[in-house]
Amino acid sequence: MVIVIKVNIISLFFTFFFFSFLCVNAQDRSIELSGGINASTNGYGIYFQSFLPEENPKIKSSITLYSHTIKHAQEARIKNEKYINPNPYVLGKINAGGGFGIDFTLHRQMGSHQSNSPKLFLGTTIGPILGVMKPYYISFDKPGEPNQIVIQNEDMLYKQDSIIGSVVWTKGLSELSYTPGIHFDLNLLIRWKNYNRTQNWQNGIRINYFPKGLNILLKAKNYTFLSIYTQYGLSSKK
């Protein structure tokens, strides 16, 4: 039953992505497509953006597909110097977080500009995000037994001396879990042309909210994730 629900959630998001791009292409075959990377105070990722046909030269709208990691603000990597060459780990971390989603942005140009000068846009963004959680395993030293590869629990918070460190990051990839959420964004977009391509540099404040929680840390609030981000990409008309 749980597996069916997960598959249905993922299918819903991919269907939403697919039909959103179909709608964009149906309006105008000569659309502007952009792609690039982003980095924020709680993660990094990639994005693909489609600017919709313009009706007002000072107002642009776009649909963006994105994927990025999500860290909790209280995460702190530590080492247990009791052991030789220990791997750093995050105390109380039970999942590595991330998300992928789709959003709609309305960009309004600020001020006037000359034909070859950069344009500045103020944007607001909203859309669904699917939170992804991968179990975060650590190596635990239990006296009289072989080292255990486990997920931390509340008891282990008081047994830091027995935590050897984190294990290879691929551990847990087959155990992903998902939770739906919503994404809000306030941003400034700078656009300038370079030959036949347009460069896009966007900076903003981003909020990801998960009603059921994106459970990253024990004994922490895992519902709202606020970050400051920057992203850069190139776009061209197709």
Side-chain angles (χ1 to χ4, degrees):
M1 180 64 178
V2 175
I3 296 177
V4 172
I5 293 174
K6 290 180 179 179
V7 172
N8 287 338
I9 292 175
I10 298 172
S11 299
L12 178 62
F13 268 75
F14 275 115
T15 302
F16 195 6
F17 296 164
F18 178 72
F19 280 104
S20 295
F21 272 98
L22 281 184
C23 291
V24 172
N25 280 277
Q27 294 183 60
D28 190 341
R29 297 304 298 179
S30 181
I31 60 175
E32 183 179 347
L33 299 178
S34 174
I37 58 176
N38 60 55
S40 71
T41 51
N42 69 352
Y44 52 89
I46 59 174
Y47 78 94
F48 299 95
Q49 189 172 29
S50 176
F51 288 94
L52 278 64
E54 299 178 11
E55 295 184 2
N56 184 329
K58 287 197 172 186
I59 298 178
K60 299 182 73 68
S61 54
S62 65
I63 292 176
T64 304
L65 306 180
Y66 62 88
S67 176
H68 60 76
T69 59
I70 300 175
K71 292 176 58 179
H72 197 285
Q74 297 177 15
E75 286 191 38
R77 292 169 65 84
I78 58 178
K79 280 187 176 183
N80 190 344
E81 300 298 342
K82 173 183 173 182
Y83 300 94
I84 300 175
N85 297 323
N87 289 328
Y89 75 98
V90 179
L91 182 65
K93 186 170 183 176
I94 55 177
N95 284 297
F100 64 90
I102 183 171
D103 61 38
F104 175 80
T105 304
L106 187 64
H107 313 265
R108 182 178 293 273
Q109 184 178 327
M110 301 175 64
S112 58
H113 75 288
Q114 298 179 350
S115 58
N116 294 323
S117 63
K119 297 180 182 179
L120 179 62
F121 294 85
L122 176 64
T124 53
T125 299
I126 189 171
I129 180 173
L130 184 64
V132 182
M133 294 168 284
K134 182 189 75 68
Y136 181 81
Y137 285 93
I138 53 99
S139 179
F140 186 76
D141 185 2
K142 192 171 183 179
E145 297 183 14
N147 293 340
Q148 298 180 342
I149 305 300
V150 296
I151 298 173
Q152 296 177 71
N153 55 42
E154 292 190 12
D155 289 339
M156 292 181 184
L157 298 179
Y158 308 100
K159 299 178 181 178
Q160 296 184 44
D161 286 345
S162 297
I163 298 178
I164 301 172
S166 62
V167 300
V168 61
W169 69 271
T170 53
K171 175 70 174 174
L173 283 177
S174 62
E175 305 170 63
L176 300 180
S177 57
Y178 309 90
T179 184
I182 190 167
H183 166 93
F184 302 96
D185 190 329
L186 181 65
N187 56 74
L188 284 173
L189 170 64
I190 303 174
R191 287 167 52 85
W192 68 97
K193 287 190 175 182
N194 184 11
Y195 299 104
N196 63 336
R197 294 197 173 190
T198 300
Q199 301 188 60
N200 302 281
W201 182 32
Q202 184 169 305
N203 301 277
I205 299 175
R206 179 171 62 203
I207 298 176
N208 292 322
Y209 174 68
F210 301 93
K212 296 183 179 180
L214 186 70
N215 298 318
I216 294 178
L217 289 183
L218 291 168
K219 292 189 172 183
K221 295 181 179 179
N222 294 289
Y223 298 96
T224 303
F225 297 84
L226 174 67
S227 64
I228 299 172
Y229 76 92
T230 184
Q231 70 181 29
Y232 174 79
L234 297 173
S235 64
S236 61
K237 289 194 173 183
K238 300 295 182 180

